């Protein structure tokens, strides 16, 4: 329901996880029974900002800017979650696998041998999930995403084009493209946004980048597509792009 989406959004804003670290946590929540809306809200709010990013943002861009982006990220998470809960997934997309129950889960068994066996079975299950199951699920997508992002960052012509033409009347179009193809974590993106603003960008364009850049990494998009299908993947990109663009425009109109 709505409460789970709101909880995922608020907690996500606080947690100091980058996009890559958010992915296994979100997928584990899904397998434990969280709704699609709550998982998508978590995937939006968690990489977008964190306590450390908000502190840096406050120092460089001011209190008003920090408060605005804090609530903007929560609102985007809520919208994403509500839309996600209203979507119908194809059979098998993001479904939780059945898990066998141990003897100590089915009854209040005080047998020390059973408890000892249950403990080591749990440890074995944790290690297998962390180092075998999860890498099989999303490892290839993460590596591919990092490779593409590295190629973009290392390309001098692309970087020069973005940095040269990221101002003016079409600034929002460029910042939308730049945010989609670039990836930095929420804290590291704040100094870059501050530098772009001081170079001539508006505060709203900087805010759009701060929301869009950390969320729409290639690994996140590839994992969302693999786990939930292209329908959810395109919705994920469209909602984040539209809402972050709207947040930036509203900031320029009503705050600056």
């Amino acid at each position: 329901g709505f409460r789970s989406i709101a909880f995922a959004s608020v907690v996500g804003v606080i947690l100091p996880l980058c996009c890559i670290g958010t992915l296994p946590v979100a997928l584990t929540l899904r397998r434990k029974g969280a709704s699609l809306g709550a998982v998508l809200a978590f995937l939006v709010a968690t990489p977008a900002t964190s306590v450390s990013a908000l502190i840096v943002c406050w120092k460089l861009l001011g209190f008003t800017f920090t408060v605005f982006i804090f609530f903007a990220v929560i609102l985007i998470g809520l919208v994403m979650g509500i839309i996600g809960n209203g979507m119908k997934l194809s059979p098998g997309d993001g479904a939780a696998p059945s898990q066998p129950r141990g003897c100590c889960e089915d009854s209040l068994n005080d047998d020390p041998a059973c408890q000892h066996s249950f403990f080591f079975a749990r440890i074995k299950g944790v290690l297998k999930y962390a180092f075998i199951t999860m890498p099989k699920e999303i490892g290839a997508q993460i590596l591919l995403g990092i490779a593409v992002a590295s190629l973009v960052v290392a390309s001098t012509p692309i970087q020069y084009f973005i940095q040269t033409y990221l101002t003016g009347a079409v600034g929002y179009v460029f910042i939308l493209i730049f945010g989609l193809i670039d990836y930095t974590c929420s804290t590291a993106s704040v100094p870059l946004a501050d530098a772009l603003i001081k170079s001539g960008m508006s505060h709203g364009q900087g805010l759009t980048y701060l929301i869009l850049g950390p969320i729409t990494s290639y690994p996140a998009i590839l994992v969302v597509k693999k786990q939930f299908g292209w329908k959810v993947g395109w919705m994920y990109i469209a909602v984040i792009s539209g809402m972050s663009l709207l947040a930036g425009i509203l900031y320029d109109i009503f705050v600056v």
Side-chain angles (χ1 to χ4, degrees):
F2 179 80
R3 187 169 63 177
S4 66
I5 296 172
F7 183 76
S9 300
V10 174
V11 170
V13 169
I14 299 172
L15 287 178
L17 288 175
C18 69
C19 173
I20 307 301
T22 302
L23 296 175
V25 177
L27 295 184
T28 301
L29 291 175
R30 178 62 174 167
R31 283 163 171 72
K32 293 297 183 180
S35 68
L36 175 62
V39 171
L40 293 178
F42 185 82
L43 280 172
V44 167
T46 308
T49 190
S50 63
V51 172
S52 59
L54 291 172
I55 292 173
V56 176
C57 193
W58 187 357
K59 179 68 176 178
L60 293 178
L61 298 169
F63 178 76
T64 302
F65 189 97
T66 304
V67 172
F68 192 95
I69 194 172
F70 175 82
F71 286 105
V73 169
I74 293 177
L75 179 61
I76 295 172
L78 293 176
V79 172
M80 178 70 76
I82 293 171
I83 295 175
N85 272 354
M87 298 185 71
K88 301 294 183 182
L89 291 179
S90 301
D93 283 341
S98 59
Q99 299 179 358
R101 296 174 64 85
C103 61
C104 296
E105 293 178 280
D106 292 326
S107 62
L108 296 177
N109 196 326
D110 294 328
D111 184 2
C114 179
Q115 293 180 354
H116 185 269
S117 174
F118 173 73
F119 174 76
F120 281 100
R122 278 297 189 188
I123 295 297
K124 181 180 178 181
V126 168
L127 295 175
K128 181 180 178 181
Y129 184 77
F131 295 104
I132 298 177
T133 304
M134 187 57 67
K136 283 184 178 180
E137 289 286 336
I138 64 176
Q141 284 72 29
I142 289 179
L143 292 176
L144 176 61
I146 292 174
V148 175
S150 300
L151 178 63
V152 172
V153 172
S155 175
T156 303
I158 294 177
Q159 293 297 304
Y160 176 79
F161 177 81
I162 292 173
Q163 294 169 8
T164 302
Y165 298 103
L166 204 61
T167 59
V170 293
Y172 273 108
V173 177
F174 283 110
I175 204 65
L176 188 63
I177 298 172
F178 182 59
L180 287 170
I181 65 175
D182 175 59
Y183 171 68
T184 52
C185 71
S186 58
T187 304
S189 63
V190 178
L192 176 57
D194 179 57
L196 293 173
I197 290 172
K198 290 177 179 177
S199 299
M201 279 178 51
S202 71
H203 281 73
Q205 291 165 353
L207 187 141
T208 297
Y209 170 71
L210 283 178
I211 297 174
L212 187 64
I215 301 175
T216 56
S217 69
Y218 302 110
I221 294 173
L222 290 170
V223 169
V224 168
K225 176 263 175 186
K226 180 182 179 182
Q227 294 295 320
F228 306 117
W230 270 120
K231 182 180 178 181
V232 175
W234 285 119
M235 182 277 292
Y236 181 83
I237 296 173
V239 171
I240 295 170
S241 300
M243 292 291 292
S244 60
L245 196 62
L246 178 62
I249 293 173
L250 290 177
Y251 189 89
D252 277 344
I253 293 175
F254 295 106
V255 180
V256 177

